[in-house]
Amino acid sequence: MATQEMTDRIIETDVLVIGGGVGGCPAACKAAEHGLEVALLEKSKIERSGQTGPGLDEIGAYPRDGATVLDLMGRFPGRSSDPNMRYRVIDNMLWALEELERLGVNMRYVDGEYGWMPWNGLHSKDVGPKVQLRVHWQNVKPEMAAAVRKRGVKVFDRTMVVDLLTHNSKVAGATAVNTRTGEFIVFKAKAVVLATGRVSRHYGPDAPPSWKYKMAYNFFAPSMAGDGHAAAYRAGAELTCMEMAGQGPFPRDAMLLQPGQFFQNDGMTGLTLNWKGEELAPHQEMTHYMESQGMLPIYFSIENLPDDFQKRVEVHIADETMIRLKLAEDRGFNPRAHRYHLSLRGVGNGNILVNENFQATLKGVFAIGDCGGAGGGGGSPTAGFLVGDTIHKYVSEAGEPVVDEGQVENQRRAALAPLAVKDVNEGIEPLEMEYTVRSMCEEYGGAIKTEGMLREGLRRLGSLKKDFMPRLMAINPHYLGRCLEARNILDMAVVHLQASLERKETRSRGWGNTFVRFDYPKEDPTYSNKRLCQRLEKGEAVIEIKEVPALKPEYAKESK
Amino acid sequence: MSTAIRIDYRRCNSCRKCYDLCPMDIFIMDEEIKMPRVAYEEECAFCGVCWMECPKRAIDIVYPPSMW
């Protein structure tokens, strides 16, 4: 069968950006400014999609005010992405700040000035230099979306990636499904930029098991299904640090409010308390508490702050996700006086393995933002601009993409299979599948892992995939999208447990980035400066422990 | 039964913003009443996008016990 007959539409483009958040939008804009044809896939709608859909309150940290790039890199110890890539991101953040303003994104705080805030860092209570940028980013996404559309980028909203197309070990595009119309689309592209955010929706809701009631999510649900990770992995690209796609502390009472706001409140810090009300040193002691769960719960509080600083925290919350203030009020929770219960939730630090130029191990694939290990409100746009600015070099040498028709047919069959399941007694709802994967991950992975439980979890996930996945049922295109997510979530859950089994040690890499094996309670130097890399080879997972590249000498000697 | 996302149809002006923007796509447009309807409430992520974008303040979001 010819490709035309297998698909509803074929789109040819130079660059295909998958994911229209604060990483994907800048990448698409910049590539389009270089005269490239750009298509942007977004499973929601770019005006309010991604982790900053409802807003963001702060960005950091910037290399200014005496803080060097190396200083700031030191603030994120042990992240296992390429340090040269991280160097480039931080080194270009001030440039990206100007670029964002040029796109029409409001970067000013009050009185038309930048809202530079001192940053006490994540590991001490000392007030540091002013390197964090306070932003009113409630409308960052509508502003970015306008810039994307103005530049003639072809935007495909409500369109979800199925899989990447490859030819001769090189990317040739991707297949996708519109989750409102069911349209199956083939994208022929010379280069693909993955910007689909993190992966942690394989972890359970911390709330009561909520399938059939409300599905509880960690962070922003659509950004956490790991669509980009899963598509890259199935296409043969390497993932790294997937054992870290685990859990970290989030204030539960504020409905996923990020604790950064307590610490980076213009140098005025809140309190971290144990259940008896005794103060803990944030981060170090907290991590310790997290590891020994008998000492939980932990609380955050801003009860110690003067009135105007408490008010500032409220504005932080409003800037990031305003609804939280409303929900808190409904529940009689006073954001100023009451203590926020911290609980463990999926945070997702695993990423697609990329080099200094954000290139994945599959040729023609670039990964940015949380997808590629340089995320956050600052890292994602910076990486996006950097890739968008240089991708024309790759595109000009890439040659015409060749679409393998057999591959398209396989992907189409796999993607649309749930629509063909008609027997309601046999068919399985995607949310039930997702809930099952998440509760298995919670039970057999969880915050503290052991070999036996990991093996049992993998066995169960394996049979879930074999016996139940083929019965996944979608009664309409909306549910087909959820089925595709469930497939990605299951694949990433397996990867996460496999990687967790392979890391035989316990390691705290700072806050929200802790890996605990009950059966290997000590840090093992074998894993120092190393990272686990995982890829699919003939359907089998291959995991290797690889050296993290050293910082290049020309970067290492910098100290402006 | 209790619902978490409530639309006040006396206020709604059918502008379709909630339907257009919801990151989880939980709304559908009900062609009979020409107004949005919550079709997939169990998927709601409580991000508040519909609530903050609604020009008529016709949407209320209420904390459900299963999220508490």
PDB file of all heavy atoms in Angstrom, chain A residues 6 186 209 271 312 372:
ATOM      1  N   MET A   6      -2.556   5.033   3.185  1.00  0.00           N
ATOM      2  CA  MET A   6      -2.578   4.631   4.588  1.00  0.00           C
ATOM      3  C   MET A   6      -2.866   5.802   5.512  1.00  0.00           C
ATOM      4  O   MET A   6      -3.088   5.625   6.691  1.00  0.00           O
ATOM      5  CB  MET A   6      -1.226   4.037   4.975  1.00  0.00           C
ATOM      6  CG  MET A   6      -0.986   2.672   4.393  1.00  0.00           C
ATOM      7  SD  MET A   6       0.544   2.026   5.000  1.00  0.00           S
ATOM      8  CE  MET A   6       1.739   2.905   4.029  1.00  0.00           C
ATOM      9  N   VAL A 186       0.778  11.692   8.551  1.00  0.00           N
ATOM     10  CA  VAL A 186       2.200  11.374   8.422  1.00  0.00           C
ATOM     11  C   VAL A 186       2.968  12.675   8.214  1.00  0.00           C
ATOM     12  O   VAL A 186       2.618  13.478   7.342  1.00  0.00           O
ATOM     13  CB  VAL A 186       2.438  10.423   7.235  1.00  0.00           C
ATOM     14  CG1 VAL A 186       3.935  10.282   6.957  1.00  0.00           C
ATOM     15  CG2 VAL A 186       1.825   9.051   7.512  1.00  0.00           C
ATOM     16  N   PRO A 209      -6.620   5.984  45.551  1.00  0.00           N
ATOM     17  CA  PRO A 209      -6.775   5.470  44.198  1.00  0.00           C
ATOM     18  C   PRO A 209      -8.042   6.046  43.599  1.00  0.00           C
ATOM     19  O   PRO A 209      -9.117   5.913  44.167  1.00  0.00           O
ATOM     20  CB  PRO A 209      -6.916   3.969  44.409  1.00  0.00           C
ATOM     21  CG  PRO A 209      -6.239   3.702  45.688  1.00  0.00           C
ATOM     22  CD  PRO A 209      -6.426   4.922  46.515  1.00  0.00           C
ATOM     23  N   LEU A 271       9.575  28.196  56.551  1.00  0.00           N
ATOM     24  CA  LEU A 271      10.056  27.183  57.483  1.00  0.00           C
ATOM     25  C   LEU A 271       9.808  25.787  56.934  1.00  0.00           C
ATOM     26  O   LEU A 271       8.831  25.550  56.238  1.00  0.00           O
ATOM     27  CB  LEU A 271       9.297  27.294  58.813  1.00  0.00           C
ATOM     28  CG  LEU A 271       9.409  28.598  59.585  1.00  0.00           C
ATOM     29  CD1 LEU A 271       8.383  28.615  60.712  1.00  0.00           C
ATOM     30  CD2 LEU A 271      10.820  28.768  60.140  1.00  0.00           C
ATOM     31  N   ARG A 312       3.426  38.364  49.150  1.00  0.00           N
ATOM     32  CA  ARG A 312       4.226  38.039  47.963  1.00  0.00           C
ATOM     33  C   ARG A 312       4.062  36.569  47.574  1.00  0.00           C
ATOM     34  O   ARG A 312       3.983  36.243  46.402  1.00  0.00           O
ATOM     35  CB  ARG A 312       5.712  38.313  48.234  1.00  0.00           C
ATOM     36  CG  ARG A 312       6.097  39.759  48.210  1.00  0.00           C
ATOM     37  CD  ARG A 312       7.588  39.870  48.481  1.00  0.00           C
ATOM     38  NE  ARG A 312       8.345  39.316  47.355  1.00  0.00           N
ATOM     39  CZ  ARG A 312       8.970  40.042  46.464  1.00  0.00           C
ATOM     40  NH1 ARG A 312       8.954  41.345  46.547  1.00  0.00           N
ATOM     41  NH2 ARG A 312       9.623  39.474  45.489  1.00  0.00           N
ATOM     42  N   GLY A 372      15.043  16.869  27.280  1.00  0.00           N
ATOM     43  CA  GLY A 372      16.459  16.660  27.015  1.00  0.00           C
ATOM     44  C   GLY A 372      17.351  16.959  28.214  1.00  0.00           C
ATOM     45  O   GLY A 372      18.573  16.988  28.090  1.00  0.00           O
TER      46      GLY A 372
END
